[in-house]
Amino acid sequence: MTTHNISGLASSLATRGLLPFDKLQQITTSAANEKKSLVSYLVENNFISSLELAQFCEAEYGIPLLDSDTLELDSIPDKFINQKLIEKHHALPVYVQSKTLYIAMSDPTNVGALEDFGFSFSMHTEALLVEEVFLKEAIDTLLENDEDSLDDMDMGDIDDIEVDDSDSRLDEAQGVDDDAPIVKYINGILIDAVRKGASDLHFEPYEKKYRIRFRIDGILKEIATPPVNLANRFSARLKVMSKLDIAERRLPQDGRIKLKISSKRSIDLRVSTLPTMWGEKIVMRILDSSAAALDIDKLGYSDEQKAKYLAALDKPQGMILITGPTGSGKTVSLYTGLNILNTVERNISTAEDPVEINLAGINQVQINIKAGLTFASALRSFLRQDPDIVMVGEIRDLETAEIGIKAAQTGHLVLSTLHTNSASETLTRLLNMGVPAFNIASSVSLIIAQRLARRLCPECKEVDSYTDLELKTIGFNAGDIQKGITLYKPVGCSKCSDGYKGRVGIYEVMMMSDNIGHIILNEGNAMQIAQVAEAEGMYTLRQSALHQAIAGITSLKEVTRVT
């Protein structure tokens, strides 16, 4: 029997007659295509049992078979937990004895694993045989615990995180050895921001002070005040991580960082630098796809508002616009709709700046203004690609608006955003851009204006008291006041931030109607549109926020702040 096309363990299995040679050729190819080890593929697909394969390897190669009960993950020194090596070789360093590092593996012919671990830790290595099912379970548990430990990390515990900063410019500008503490400190700040659920990080130099702030639940909080003489080193490190020009300090720059904080979780950061009087201010926006909840039932819509949104999504054509200031949750609302629409029967394309949430099955395009790829040019290209649904990150100019409306009028569903304060003002904004009134009336089907209010911490919130006059002044109607309203206030505990934990959406959902269309065609203003929409049953942002306060989800102070 010839085994010239297979080697290692596969060759031994074929030679001993455990599996046919031709079958092993196919298995080896399939395992490689799926990027799995041969042992994993054999066991997962039931070609041979885990125990039978381990016993064969023990007899064939004379390597001791380790009892699964002796795999004590807690005893593995942290310095040997190298995720890249563990995942690459499907092998696990288990303990050190007499200056030898013992590697648990299910394929004893994987000499490369021993060489790589030995080289990385400058130690002699020896193989120990472990059943595949137990090895896989141990690796999954170890790496999962490593990811979960993020919640318990302290900035002082961080030596390094995986980020692509292979650039010699920092060496030339600052000196790597001198800046090792800076690298560690910046890494710790980034991990701390992710752990605390921050959306933005601000690095701010002043004349006699350097300040680092996180935006948590929409509110900026001061986190650290390192020495001001480190300002240039901080900016140099962050700019290298973002692949920006560290020599350019007079002009604003934009960049990105891809941060791998565990084997299963990566986070993108959008970086913006701005020259100020005392140095460069750097703001970083955290784009964490894994943290986005794309469940419409969790976003804070009332039943009626949700029904209107779902009805608009169910239409084969038309335009859905979501409006609000920066950081009001427009992207999550958009992607929640796209997630509902994302089926194999639909061709969905998006143009975004930047792409914040990755969704499988959707063709996402990153806008690149410098290269000439604008929202308008991307939208024109989409219309030549047989689309069903198109999402444009933002309507910024008349050209983009006109192409989007044309698409909505020709059998496509279009979703986009605008920066306006209310649903009614969105229509007048389009008119002011130069979009003809009849095009707006015939193409726009739904407008959602939104804000984000902080949620009260359920562990520590307390009942608050207000007079009837105060309640009436803030917007409650006489009927609700007469029935009795229970409102709550923030207190603060170890599980929250100033009495709040997380945020909830506040929405104004306006469907296009004949009456609203009539006002637009007669060049009516936003106030007239709002009056008709309210008469037709639309809750304003203030009314929606008050309902959330009655439900005990937020406080009246938050209602006043966001609306």
Side-chain angles (χ1 to χ4, degrees):
M1 178 181 294
T2 59
T3 58
H4 59 277
N5 287 332
I6 56 175
S7 58
L9 179 59
S11 178
S12 297
L13 290 169
T15 302
R16 300 300 180 190
L18 267 74
L19 287 168
F21 169 67
D22 292 341
K23 187 68 175 177
L24 275 165
Q25 283 185 309
Q26 296 174 10
I27 290 171
T28 302
T29 302
S30 297
N33 290 338
E34 294 185 19
K35 296 182 179 179
K36 293 182 177 179
S37 70
L38 176 63
V39 172
S40 296
Y41 191 87
L42 286 169
V43 173
E44 286 177 11
N45 291 278
N46 298 315
F47 289 109
I48 189 171
S49 73
S50 177
L51 177 59
E52 186 180 2
L53 184 57
Q55 290 173 338
F56 168 79
C57 290
E58 181 183 28
E60 181 74 10
Y61 300 105
I63 297 175
L65 179 60
L66 194 65
D67 191 329
S68 62
D69 293 335
T70 62
L71 273 177
E72 297 179 1
L73 302 183
D74 293 338
S75 65
I76 301 175
D78 289 342
K79 66 178 180 178
F80 294 130
I81 302 176
N82 185 313
Q83 290 183 13
K84 277 188 174 180
L85 289 179
I86 292 171
E87 290 178 335
K88 177 183 177 182
H89 294 294
H90 194 63
L92 191 64
V94 284
Y95 65 87
V96 177
Q97 188 175 10
S98 303
K99 297 183 179 180
T100 297
L101 177 62
Y102 286 88
I103 311 295
M105 50 208 307
S106 56
D107 182 358
T109 64
N110 186 3
V111 179
L114 299 176
E115 293 176 347
D116 277 4
F117 276 102
F119 179 80
S120 295
F121 301 115
S122 301
M123 298 185 72
H124 175 67
T125 55
E126 291 284 349
L128 289 174
L129 200 57
V130 180
E131 272 193 61
E132 166 60 21
V133 290
F134 298 128
L135 179 63
K136 184 179 185 303
E137 182 181 355
I139 291 175
D140 288 346
T141 301
L142 181 71
L143 298 186
E144 183 178 343
N145 289 342
D146 186 55
E147 179 173 359
D148 292 341
S149 67
L150 176 65
D151 293 335
D152 302 320
M153 283 183 177
D154 195 329
M155 287 192 290
D157 298 330
I158 310 298
D159 288 319
D160 196 17
I161 50 180
E162 187 177 337
V163 62
D164 183 8
D165 59 353
S166 52
D167 197 321
S168 61
R169 293 174 298 170
L170 184 61
D171 305 0
E172 299 167 2
Q174 302 291 335
V176 173
D177 292 339
D178 292 340
D179 270 25
I182 297 295
V183 172
K184 182 176 180 178
Y185 186 81
I186 292 293
N187 289 348
I189 287 289
L190 298 181
I191 291 292
D192 195 42
V194 174
R195 181 176 62 83
K196 290 180 177 177
S199 61
D200 302 84
L201 296 78
H202 291 241
F203 295 81
E204 303 168 310
Y206 298 97
E207 182 179 11
K208 297 180 179 179
K209 179 181 179 181
Y210 193 92
R211 180 171 67 177
I212 298 175
R213 293 189 291 173
F214 293 170
R215 187 177 294 278
I216 301 172
D217 292 336
I219 304 296
L220 279 169
K221 298 182 180 295
E222 187 174 288
I223 299 300
T225 55
V228 69
N229 62 349
L230 297 177
N232 288 338
R233 292 187 175 187
F234 284 152
S235 63
R237 174 61 186 166
L238 291 170
K239 286 163 75 175
V240 166
M241 293 171 73
S242 313
K243 296 184 171 61
L244 299 178
D245 183 359
I246 64 172
E248 180 55 77
R249 299 181 180 179
R250 299 167 298 176
L251 296 173
Q253 297 185 68
D254 295 305
R256 291 177 75 99
I257 298 173
K258 189 171 185 66
L259 187 70
K260 186 173 183 182
I261 58 176
S262 75
S263 62
K264 299 177 182 178
R265 188 177 178 191
S266 294
I267 290 175
D268 286 333
L269 297 102
R270 186 174 65 195
V271 183
S272 172
T273 73
L274 180 70
T276 67
M277 283 186 63
W278 308 108
E280 288 180 287
K281 174 174 179 175
I282 298 177
V283 176
M284 310 173 78
R285 165 67 59 89
I286 296 177
L287 310 175
D288 185 4
S289 300
S290 64
L294 302 181
D295 183 348
I296 194 168
D297 293 322
K298 296 180 180 179
L299 298 186
Y301 287 97
S302 69
D303 291 341
E304 185 179 348
Q305 290 173 334
K306 182 176 75 171
K308 288 179 179 179
Y309 190 16
L310 292 175
L313 290 170
D314 199 42
K315 292 182 179 179
Q317 64 186 46
M319 177 177 280
I320 299 173
L321 294 172
I322 299 181
T323 78
T326 301
S328 60
K330 298 187 298 295
T331 300
V332 173
S333 285
L334 273 179
Y335 269 94
T336 298
L338 288 177
N339 199 40
I340 293 169
L341 295 168
N342 187 15
T343 63
V344 72
E345 296 87 9
R346 295 186 175 106
N347 177 21
I348 305 176
S349 296
T350 73
E352 305 169 67
D353 186 20
V355 175
E356 295 189 27
I357 301 173
N358 296 317
L359 278 183
I362 292 180
N363 308 289
Q364 297 172 271
V365 175
Q366 170 69 54
I367 295 303
N368 187 339
I369 304 296
K370 292 181 180 178
L373 181 56
T374 63
F375 283 117
S377 62
L379 191 47
R380 275 195 296 267
S381 297
F382 290 167
L383 297 180
R384 296 191 290 268
Q385 295 248 320
D386 183 32
D388 295 301
I389 297 157
V390 169
M391 192 272 270
V392 185
E394 182 183 346
I395 294 178
R396 296 177 179 173
D397 50 47
L398 176 59
E399 184 182 13
T400 306
E402 286 181 331
I403 300 170
I405 284 175
K406 178 183 176 182
Q409 292 174 330
T410 55
H412 307 93
L413 184 61
V414 179
L415 293 83
S416 191
T417 71
L418 274 172
H419 287 278
T420 59
N421 291 323
S422 67
S424 57
E425 289 177 44
T426 304
L427 295 173
T428 55
R429 171 73 187 280
L430 291 172
L431 286 170
N432 293 336
M433 276 186 179
V435 180
F438 65 88
N439 279 341
I440 298 173
S442 63
S443 59
V444 176
S445 56
L446 184 79
I447 300 173
I448 299 174
Q450 67 179 76
R451 302 289 188 275
L452 289 176
R454 290 182 292 173
R455 288 179 181 267
L456 285 166
C457 174
E459 301 292 332
C460 65
K461 68 180 181 180
E462 290 183 355
V463 175
D464 204 358
S465 60
Y466 292 88
T467 66
D468 289 353
L469 179 60
E470 288 174 324
L471 294 176
K472 187 175 181 180
T473 302
I474 207 167
F476 287 106
N477 60 51
D480 287 335
I481 295 173
Q482 191 173 5
K483 291 177 184 176
I485 298 171
T486 303
L487 300 171
Y488 295 86
K489 63 182 179 181
V491 177
C493 65
S494 60
K495 296 182 179 180
C496 65
S497 175
D498 299 330
Y500 296 97
K501 187 175 184 180
R503 289 189 286 179
V504 64
I506 307 295
Y507 303 96
E508 187 176 274
V509 181
M510 185 178 81
M511 293 193 75
M512 181 63 73
S513 67
D514 292 339
N515 291 331
I516 293 173
H518 184 71
I519 294 174
I520 296 169
L521 292 171
N522 286 281
E523 299 181 354
N525 58 38
M527 187 176 296
Q528 292 172 315
I529 295 170
Q531 288 174 347
V532 170
E534 288 181 55
E536 293 178 347
M538 181 191 78
Y539 285 158
T540 64
L541 285 168
R542 172 58 68 92
Q543 289 168 340
S544 297
L546 290 175
H547 278 87
Q548 298 286 17
I550 292 173
I553 295 172
T554 192
S555 67
L556 277 193
K557 287 184 179 179
E558 272 297 282
V559 169
T560 304
R561 184 182 72 85
V562 300
T563 63

